[in-house]
Amino acid sequence: MKNTAFSYKSGNSFLHKLPSWIKIIFIPFLSIAVFQLPFGFALTLLTLQTLVSFLLRFTLREQLADLRAVLYYAVFIFFAKIAGTLIAHFTSGTVISFNLEKETCFLLIKLLCVMQSASLIFKTSTSLQLREGLEFIEFKLRKFFHIKNAEYTPLAQTVSLFICFIPQISRNWNQAVLAWKSRGGKKSLKMIAVLLPVFISVGMKQAYNSARAISIRQKKIR
């Protein structure tokens, strides 16, 4: 489905061919660098990431779908600033000013940078590749520390189940909304009230089936 958040998009680029375990290891260090290094690093990296995304033919709409959470947060911060300023003006007579603090703007840019990094991983790696990458990392660690049954990777299975559910949740909601609109429904509070129970039910069923499949696989390994 188009414009589903954090969904894989096929391609033959360098990032698509890069082993998923390298991308998984690289992202945490990159995220730490974004918050620890000067703001210029985050701004430059975000610009490069956006350029790379366009070179990989990820449309603006596809990129915004992954950055939506940060954009919503930015809107919330902006309206909270407006509400706080107006309340302060009418209660204590302070001058009205809607300027956001520089630190807040810097934080939003850094969050966008981290989200864009995660987006590039999800868009260039399938769910299977992400799971195999996590299993490879845990296998190597267990082997390095001489842990018995090194091929048994419970942590990787659990984390991969959570990670792979991120795009699945977005896909489920988009499908539910599409079904609602195809029946003549409109976006409203009623739509959320009707679709939310179905959305939760479908997600729980998928989570149960995935957890059960992993449990059966682990028993076979043992």
Side-chain angles (χ1 to χ4, degrees), residues 6-213:
F6 297 105
S7 58
Y8 172 74
K9 188 171 182 178
S10 59
N12 196 35
S13 68
F14 168 75
L15 282 178
H16 284 84
K17 296 178 180 179
L18 189 68
S20 59
W21 66 268
I22 296 179
K23 290 183 277 190
I24 293 172
I25 291 177
F26 183 68
I27 283 299
F29 290 102
L30 184 63
S31 300
I32 293 174
V34 166
F35 285 99
Q36 294 297 324
L37 295 178
F39 171 72
F41 174 80
L43 185 60
T44 302
L45 181 59
L46 179 61
T47 303
L48 292 175
Q49 289 172 332
T50 304
L51 178 61
V52 169
S53 296
F54 281 120
L55 291 176
L56 295 178
R57 298 183 179 180
F58 300 151
T59 65
L60 179 61
R61 177 175 287 185
E62 289 171 336
Q63 294 181 53
L64 291 178
D66 292 351
L67 303 177
R68 192 177 299 163
V70 179
L71 297 177
Y72 285 160
Y73 177 67
V75 172
F76 171 77
I77 293 294
F78 179 73
F79 280 105
K81 173 67 175 179
I82 292 177
T85 300
L86 291 176
I87 293 174
H89 173 71
F90 289 113
T91 56
S92 58
T94 58
V95 178
I96 296 179
S97 176
F98 297 133
N99 295 326
L100 289 176
E101 290 80 3
K102 183 172 64 175
E103 291 75 14
T104 302
C105 296
F106 285 0
L107 175 61
L108 291 173
I109 294 296
K110 291 181 178 181
L111 288 175
L112 284 172
C113 186
V114 172
M115 290 291 286
Q116 187 73 301
S117 299
S119 173
L120 286 173
I121 284 185
F122 278 100
K123 286 193 177 303
T124 59
S125 308
T126 64
S127 297
L128 177 60
Q129 289 172 338
L130 290 174
R131 190 187 72 190
E132 290 177 344
L134 289 168
E135 290 178 347
F136 177 82
I137 294 172
E138 184 174 0
F139 170 75
K140 289 298 183 181
L141 289 175
R142 293 173 70 89
K143 190 174 181 181
F144 178 80
F145 290 107
H146 303 289
I147 300 176
K148 293 182 179 179
N149 298 324
E151 68 279 0
Y152 176 57
T153 55
L155 180 60
Q157 297 286 355
T158 303
V159 175
S160 64
L161 184 63
F162 171 76
I163 290 178
C164 294
F165 247 74
I166 295 176
Q168 185 62 49
I169 289 174
S170 176
R171 193 176 300 113
N172 289 345
W173 180 253
N174 285 353
Q175 289 175 343
V177 172
L178 182 62
W180 174 266
K181 290 181 177 179
S182 65
R183 289 170 173 78
K186 297 181 179 180
K187 281 190 175 182
S188 60
L189 292 177
K190 180 181 178 181
M191 180 193 76
I192 297 176
V194 172
L195 295 184
L196 192 58
V198 178
F199 170 72
I200 295 175
S201 176
V202 171
M204 291 180 65
K205 184 176 180 180
Q206 290 175 337
Y208 171 76
N209 291 336
S210 299
R212 186 176 180 183

